[in-house]
Amino acid sequence: MHLASIELRLIGLPLVRPFRTSFGTEMAKECVLVRVESADGAVGWGESVTGPDPGFSEEWNEGLWLVLRDFLAPAVFAAGDVSADGMAAAMSGVRGHPMAKAALINAVLDAELREQGRSLASYLGAERDRVECGVSVGITPTAGELVEQVGGYLAEGYRRIKLKIEPGNDVERVGAVRDANPDILLSVDANAAYSLGDAGTFRDLDAYRLLMVEQPLHHDDLVEHAALQGQIATDICLDESIRSAADASAALELGACRLVNIKQGRVGGLLEARRVHDVVRSQGAPVWCGGMLETGIGRAANLALAALPGFTLPGDTSASARYFTDDLTPPFEMAADGTMAVPTGAGIGVEPRPDRLKVCTVRVETLRP
Ligand code: OSB
Ligand code: MG
């Protein structure tokens, strides 16, 4: 399709509770929505997984905005007739910036699929119409509050609990949650807060039968993760370190992890995410769908992806109400059995509600050829 416009929109939605990780505290979801419109009037939406600062990755909202405005949008306009499939090549003159590329590729893919009347889930090769939901629980002021929050999520039906940890808030906290819930699927996510010298902490965590430990070490490292995996029983899952199918393949080959968290935005969009799924599956390892506290736009895309056959563990695909009192889209709800329906409409299957979009918008800029 020929793109007539690319609209960038910075948005902000308050979170129902602060979300604290080893790299910071978020009080609100702030990201960039990309809306593309083709010359024929087809419209598509993409949501960035960037936040207000480069804490999780090198990319962040203002940087993403500039690289889209000054480099990626001009490259895509210059390419003329583009398809989602050909966009990585059209944007290959820009090194890195997978999150910026993802937001634009996903928007074009959504527009194409809406035009064809085909759902994203069907296009990607989904084999389920519902997915299992887990929930990611931020670091709380006290262990008591953590046990209480976990109890609330379990009562709602969540099928896997993931605890954020950091040095000083780890073994004891995990022990408290495990003692209160001997049989649940429980995992931890360190967001790169530890070093190889902390291997003893992870050997202590082995006692709690965790499903996995996510990204214990440096965000960019595979070699040290392989060394740590050799010293502990719990499976390592990588998040930050995996930015492409090639990274995933190398990490498994090296023994740096035994499973992979796929966040489509982190790997350059839905098409590369499917390649990560395929390569990890072919190497015999499971994947699961990560999250970045997405609004309904990003959540819809994640749910379609999570319905692929290699996603064999519950994802960070929680209900809208876990994040927002009022989502950008009609709310995604989880059934009492801890599953959520995969959208069936054309493209991602949802659109922002105009009234909510207006209230949540901080800034808009429309780019044209
Ligand atoms: O590491 O998985 C992470 C949120 C923001 C940044 C990084 C991460 C997360 C989460 C939230 O864990 C998962 C969700 O969207 O519910
Ligand atoms: Mg993570």
Side-chain angles (χ1 to χ4, degrees):
M1 60 178 53
H2 280 86
L3 292 185
S5 66
I6 299 174
E7 179 193 86
L8 308 180
R9 180 184 296 261
L10 184 65
I11 57 159
L13 282 79
L15 291 167
V16 291
R17 51 167 56 128
F19 187 68
R20 183 152 98 79
T21 65
S22 62
F23 64 89
T25 304
E26 293 175 69
M27 309 293 288
K29 170 65 185 174
E30 294 172 62
C31 65
V32 177
L33 291 185
V34 175
R35 177 187 182 275
V36 298
E37 190 165 341
S38 76
D40 302 332
V43 169
W45 291 91
E47 174 178 330
S48 82
V49 296
T50 46
D53 55 63
F56 175 80
S57 77
E58 297 89 336
E59 292 183 87
W60 85 107
N61 290 336
E62 297 298 337
L64 173 130
W65 188 287
L66 291 182
V67 82
L68 279 165
R69 187 191 72 189
D70 295 346
F71 298 101
L72 299 175
V76 170
F77 286 137
D81 189 17
V82 291
S83 67
D85 251 335
M87 286 193 47
M91 299 189 292
S92 64
V94 173
R95 180 166 296 176
H97 295 281
M99 295 178 177
K101 291 172 180 172
L104 187 51
I105 292 175
N106 292 352
V108 171
L109 180 60
D110 183 41
E112 279 177 9
L113 293 172
R114 282 183 202 266
E115 201 169 43
Q116 296 164 22
R118 182 164 190 199
S119 75
L120 175 64
S122 135
Y123 169 81
L124 290 174
E127 292 188 354
R128 289 189 284 269
D129 57 8
R130 304 190 68 82
V131 300
E132 288 188 285
C133 303
V135 60
S136 173
V137 187
I139 299 167
T140 50
T142 66
E145 283 163 83
L146 182 62
V147 172
E148 191 185 312
Q149 263 188 40
V150 166
Y153 288 131
L154 290 170
E156 286 180 50
Y158 284 104
R159 292 194 181 188
R160 186 229 61 212
I161 299 289
K162 162 172 139 184
L163 307 177
K164 292 291 186 180
I165 58 166
E166 64 183 357
N169 284 313
D170 43 38
V171 180
E172 222 172 293
R173 298 265 175 129
V174 172
V177 171
R178 177 52 93 198
D179 289 348
N181 308 281
D183 299 322
I184 62 168
L185 291 183
L186 182 63
S187 69
V188 296
D189 186 357
N191 288 110
Y194 295 82
S195 62
L196 197 50
D198 300 313
T201 299
F202 296 99
R203 279 195 294 272
D204 291 346
L205 285 174
D206 277 343
Y208 299 104
R209 295 170 288 113
L210 298 176
L211 187 59
M212 71 190 84
V213 44
E214 185 176 335
Q215 197 70 40
L217 310 179
H218 192 264
H219 74 96
D220 213 9
D221 175 85
L222 295 182
V223 172
E224 291 202 340
H225 278 106
L228 180 63
Q229 184 67 89
Q231 298 179 41
I232 65 175
T234 307
D235 291 344
I236 292 178
C237 171
L238 290 178
D239 175 354
E240 284 91 327
S241 298
I242 307 297
R243 290 145 186 257
S244 63
D247 283 351
S249 179
L252 288 168
E253 194 78 24
L254 263 173
C257 65
R258 295 184 186 143
L259 59 169
V260 174
N261 165 333
I262 301 186
K263 289 177 181 167
Q264 49 80 19
R266 194 196 64 225
V267 302
L270 289 156
L271 300 175
E272 184 70 9
R274 181 169 57 181
R275 287 190 281 271
V276 176
H277 163 271
D278 293 349
V279 77
V280 174
R281 197 163 179 237
S282 75
Q283 288 176 245
V287 298
W288 57 280
C289 186
M292 294 289 279
L293 315 176
E294 284 87 351
T295 79
I297 296 296
R299 190 160 310 283
N302 288 352
L303 288 164
L305 185 66
L308 268 62
F311 286 77
T312 52
L313 295 167
D316 283 344
T317 46
S318 310
S320 292
R322 180 259 172 270
Y323 311 94
F324 314 111
T325 43
D326 201 3
D327 204 337
L328 215 50
T329 60
F332 281 93
E333 283 160 0
M334 183 181 73
D337 71 353
T339 67
M340 194 154 18
V342 177
T344 54
I348 59 172
V350 296
E351 278 171 46
R353 291 153 45 203
D355 56 324
R356 277 304 281 159
L357 196 58
K358 208 166 164 185
V359 172
C360 298
T361 296
V362 179
R363 188 168 85 233
V364 189
E365 185 172 351
T366 306
L367 314 171
R368 297 183 198 283

